[in-house]
Amino acid sequence: LNPQLALMELESKRQSWDQVSLWSKKIIELHPYKMEAHYYQGFANVQLGHFEQAVESFTTLRSSPKADQYPYASYLLGLMLSDKGDFEGAAKELNHFLKIHPEAPEGDRIKALLSDWAERDLIKGAKP
């Protein structure tokens, strides 16, 4: 498992997203509870434009006890859910991101987005 993790990380640094996807799939097949592989799988799928697969990977990650170790999974999942029109789900993820990563550079942008959604009645009670 360790050599495959190292290769996945190396390919990520090289931004070779198809290879990251390949290695993360192999790791998940060997160890389905290796959340690092789900994170890399989701991120690679975002980069490759495979948003449904990215949502699946990030949702799996978010349901694990290690989810808070990967705050950007909530951020990316929130953005993808909003693109699908699930503003309540998106607000939940974005608020979770702000909770676990309050100093995030994206924080002001997320708060403005959530406020806009609340003003437009796209979400109920999910203001930051």
Side-chain angles (χ1 to χ4, degrees):
L1 191 62
N2 286 335
Q4 292 174 345
L5 284 166
L7 287 168
M8 178 183 69
E9 291 173 8
L10 174 67
E11 294 297 347
S12 176
K13 289 177 184 170
R14 293 176 58 207
Q15 297 183 356
S16 181
W17 304 117
D18 56 339
Q19 291 299 309
V20 173
S21 179
L22 177 75
W23 285 112
S24 60
K25 282 180 189 176
K26 289 181 180 190
I27 294 166
I28 292 167
E29 287 172 5
L30 289 172
H31 195 313
Y33 300 107
K34 189 69 174 170
M35 291 301 118
E36 181 181 8
H38 286 281
Y39 178 75
Y40 277 92
Q41 179 68 22
F43 194 81
N45 279 319
V46 167
Q47 298 299 319
L48 294 169
H50 304 149
F51 299 116
E52 290 298 321
Q53 293 93 334
V55 167
E56 183 179 319
S57 295
F58 289 140
T59 300
T60 299
L61 173 58
R62 285 283 292 120
S63 67
S64 82
K66 295 186 177 189
D68 288 354
Q69 294 176 12
Y70 304 93
Y72 280 91
S74 290
Y75 175 68
L76 293 170
L77 183 56
L79 295 178
M80 287 183 291
L81 290 173
S82 72
D83 283 345
K84 293 172 69 173
D86 179 1
F87 294 101
E88 290 290 339
K92 176 183 170 196
E93 292 301 327
L94 293 173
N95 276 315
H96 182 78
F97 173 75
L98 291 173
K99 179 182 172 188
I100 61 175
H101 196 22
E103 298 88 28
E106 303 84 358
D108 289 339
R109 188 180 124 206
I110 292 170
K111 290 174 187 173
L113 186 62
L114 292 170
S115 292
D116 177 60
W117 291 349
E119 287 174 16
R120 293 175 27 206
D121 288 327
L122 296 173
I123 57 175
K124 307 282 188 258
K127 288 184 181 178

